[in-house]
Amino acid sequence: TQLYQLRVQLSSLQKDLSRLDTLLRTGSATEQQYDQMKTQYDVLKTNVDFMEENTLLRAPFTGVITGKYFENGEMYSGTPTTQSGRSAIVTIMQVNPLKVNVSVSEQYYPLIVNGMKAYVTSDVYSGEVFAGRVFRKAPTVNPMTRSFISEIELPNRNDMLKPGMFVRVSMDMGEVATFVVPAASVLLQEGTNTRYVFIEEDGIAKRLEVQLGKRFDDQLEIISDNLREGDHLVTEGQSKLMNNDGIEIVM
């Protein structure tokens, strides 16, 4: 390679310069000859240093190579080589510690703080619990899902967990009062992600769009504030209703 050739030339020139220095001391060489060779050596040394700095890749973390896009001797072109559309020579993935991304309902935003403990389990390792801590939470909430991303730093004991694995995360956020309704009462508008229910007001069916939180067996958490305690929720026959249909309550 070019770097190897430059190193050989530099080594040879260094020896010549050393011999010329000896000749200079005995008067067998002139200062001009020495200065000319010293300049050649300095220029070549600068080129070698530049090549070493720009041909040796140092990762900012310890990890494993998961993708290699160039072979030895190939010229780096800068052409996109990864799935993300970026140009790369290799892809390195950190495996210890790992980062776990968790989608959390917006109502828990004030309860998630940096440093709080999180416990991770995987179906691959039954009975194993991995302890980590929250180190970052997103500054914004996704308006479509009404949730935000919380990032957990997880020491990977014995490198058991692998990037891309599905895991479950639990965090102790204390007790939170929540509002739930029967799951069967919540309908999905066809072709959309819109969820809605019907309530009864003075014998009229009123359609209300709702935002869902967690599921608790046959109950669904409602996180929007347009459905309130005391509303008469329609739990049977609601799939046949239209907004403002007349209905009769059967006790």
Side-chain angles (χ1 to χ4, degrees):
T1 64
Q2 185 178 359
L3 178 59
Y4 175 76
Q5 293 173 354
L6 288 176
R7 283 172 173 168
V8 171
Q9 293 175 20
L10 182 65
S11 177
S12 176
L13 192 57
Q14 187 175 24
K15 294 176 182 177
D16 291 342
L17 185 63
S18 179
R19 285 193 291 265
L20 191 60
D21 181 63
T22 301
L23 293 175
L24 178 64
R25 294 176 187 275
T26 61
S28 300
T30 65
E31 287 280 356
Q32 183 179 9
Q33 290 175 316
Y34 180 84
D35 290 343
Q36 288 176 345
M37 184 169 291
K38 181 65 166 59
T39 300
Q40 294 177 23
Y41 174 83
D42 290 341
V43 171
L44 187 57
K45 180 68 165 57
T46 300
N47 290 338
V48 170
D49 291 343
F50 177 81
M51 289 290 291
E52 289 179 339
E53 183 178 351
N54 289 275
T55 55
L56 180 62
L57 299 179
R58 297 183 185 274
F61 55 83
T62 300
V64 295
I65 295 177
T66 58
K68 182 180 178 183
Y69 309 104
F70 289 88
E71 298 298 330
N72 292 339
E74 282 191 278
M75 182 69 70
Y76 176 71
S77 62
T79 303
T81 52
T82 64
Q83 292 182 353
S84 63
R86 298 178 179 178
S87 57
I89 297 175
V90 295
T91 299
I92 301 177
M93 188 168 291
Q94 188 175 31
V95 295
N96 195 4
L98 289 173
K99 182 178 74 173
V100 182
N101 290 333
V102 186
S103 180
V104 184
S105 175
E106 66 177 353
Q107 74 178 104
Y108 301 116
Y109 195 90
L111 303 179
I112 302 294
V113 295
N114 289 347
M116 72 182 300
K117 293 182 179 180
Y119 300 95
V120 174
T121 58
S122 169
D123 292 342
V124 178
Y125 302 109
S126 178
E128 293 283 350
V129 179
F130 301 84
R133 291 184 180 275
V134 175
F135 75 96
R136 185 183 297 120
K137 69 176 180 180
T140 59
V141 173
N142 187 319
M144 299 298 295
T145 62
R146 311 311 307 174
S147 63
F148 65 96
I149 296 297
S150 177
E151 298 180 13
I152 297 169
E153 185 176 68
L154 184 68
N156 190 7
R157 187 170 66 250
N158 298 324
D159 292 344
M160 295 171 65
L161 298 175
K162 303 302 178 184
M165 275 186 172
F166 175 81
V167 295
R168 293 180 173 84
V169 178
S170 61
M171 291 180 281
D172 184 5
M173 294 181 286
E175 296 183 357
V176 178
T178 190
F179 187 81
V180 297
V181 299
S185 66
V186 180
L187 303 174
L188 172 65
Q189 182 172 315
E190 187 175 354
T192 71
N193 196 36
T194 301
R195 310 283 178 155
Y196 63 96
V197 298
F198 282 100
I199 62 172
E200 181 273 336
E201 289 184 356
D202 300 324
I204 301 297
K206 296 292 185 180
R207 170 177 156 154
L208 294 180
E209 293 186 3
V210 294
Q211 298 288 337
L212 302 183
K214 293 184 177 180
R215 186 183 185 101
F216 303 95
D217 296 327
D218 60 347
Q219 303 284 315
L220 284 175
E221 179 186 22
I222 304 296
I223 59 176
S224 51
D225 57 5
N226 53 345
L227 185 63
R228 299 178 177 84
E229 186 176 356
D231 286 340
H232 295 163
L233 182 68
V234 180
T235 58
E236 291 187 12
Q238 65 273 22
S239 61
K240 301 177 182 179
L241 291 176
M242 299 289 290
N243 195 31
N244 294 321
D245 278 354
I247 57 175
E248 180 181 354
I249 298 178
V250 178
M251 304 299 292

